[in-house]
Amino acid sequence: METLSTLIGIAITYAIVNNVVLSQFLGICPFLGVSKKTETAAGMGGAVIFVITIASFITGVIYKYILANEALLNMGIDLTYLKTIVFILVIAALVQFVEMFLKKSIPALYKSLGVYLPLITTNCAVLGVALNAITYEYNLLETVVYGLATAVGFFIAIVLMAGIREKIEYNDIPKPFQGTAIVLVTAALMSIAFMGFSGM
C-alpha cells in the first residue's frame, strides 16, 4: 500500500506540481518551437511520452544491472561514470525508432514536426529524467513512473501552450510584444500559474 501511495505521489508531483518545463525549465526548445498548433504539439508530446518512458526503463535497467552492478563494484570495477554517454546512446536509438515509425505510419505528423523530431535526442528533459532517477535513488518501478509522469507533464505544458498561442493569434497585441516576446510572457505566466500547485 505504501508503494502505491509513493508511486501516486511521484506521478502527481512530476506531472503537475514539479512540471519539467514550467518548474525545472528542461525541454524549452521543443516547448517553444512546436507549440504553434495543437495537433503538432500533441504529436510531439506523444512522441516525448514514448521516448521518455521507454528511455527511463532501459536506462534504469542498464544502470542497475550493468553500470552499477554489485559484482563489478565488489571487484573494484566502477562503470557508473559512463552513465551519461550510455544514456545518450539509448535515447538517440529510441528517437531513431520513433522517427522511422512516424515516417512510415503517420507521414503528415512526421512532416509537421520537421526538425524538432530529431531534436528529441538533444532534449535535455529526456536525459534529465534518466540522470535524476539515479540522483533520487528510485528503484526500477519508481523510475518508470517518474519518467511517465514527467513526460505527461511535458505533454500538458506543450498542449496548453499551443492552445493559448492559437488564441493569441486573433488578439490585438502591442507591437513590442508580438512574436517571441508574447510567447515568453505566456510561458512565464503559465509557470507562475503552475506554482499554485506547489502547496499540494
Side-chain angles (χ1 to χ4, degrees):
M1 195 68 183
E2 189 180 327
T3 307
L4 182 62
S5 62
T6 303
L7 295 177
I8 291 169
I10 290 170
I12 292 170
T13 299
Y14 291 103
I16 299 170
V17 180
N18 198 7
N19 189 281
V20 68
V21 179
L22 302 172
S23 295
Q24 301 175 43
F25 307 111
L26 297 174
I28 296 289
C29 178
F31 173 70
L32 296 175
V34 188
S35 60
K36 290 178 184 173
K37 291 186 178 177
T38 311
E39 296 83 14
T40 312
M44 172 59 94
V48 168
I49 286 174
F50 176 80
V51 171
I52 288 183
T53 306
I54 302 297
S56 61
F57 172 73
I58 295 172
T59 54
V61 169
I62 289 172
Y63 185 79
K64 185 172 183 179
Y65 296 106
I66 299 172
L67 300 180
N69 187 292
E70 283 187 34
L72 291 173
L73 290 172
N74 291 337
M75 291 190 305
I77 302 168
D78 185 7
L79 300 175
T80 54
Y81 70 94
L82 292 171
K83 63 181 180 282
T84 305
I85 296 167
V86 171
F87 292 177
I88 288 170
L89 289 173
V90 168
I91 292 163
L94 281 170
V95 171
Q96 286 297 315
F97 174 74
V98 170
E99 199 171 348
M100 288 187 298
F101 173 77
L102 288 179
K103 192 173 185 178
K104 189 168 180 132
S105 304
I106 317 168
L109 179 60
Y110 175 79
K111 283 181 183 176
S112 63
L113 289 174
V115 71
Y116 291 100
L117 187 57
L119 277 177
I120 296 176
T121 307
T122 57
N123 185 344
C124 52
V126 184
L127 181 60
V129 167
L131 294 174
N132 283 342
I134 294 165
T135 306
Y136 301 151
E137 296 180 354
Y138 287 148
N139 62 36
L140 197 55
L141 181 59
E142 290 171 342
T143 299
V144 173
V145 171
Y146 166 60
L148 177 62
T150 304
V152 168
F154 179 87
F155 179 86
I156 291 168
I158 198 169
V159 169
L160 282 175
M161 174 59 102
I164 293 168
R165 284 180 76 172
E166 284 181 353
K167 298 283 185 191
I168 284 174
E169 283 184 24
Y170 301 105
N171 293 340
D172 187 25
I173 298 163
K175 211 165 191 176
F177 287 99
Q178 288 177 4
T180 308
I182 193 67
V183 175
L184 293 174
V185 169
T186 304
L189 292 172
M190 284 177 65
S191 182
I192 292 167
F194 269 71
M195 280 177 65
F197 293 114
S198 59
M200 289 177 69

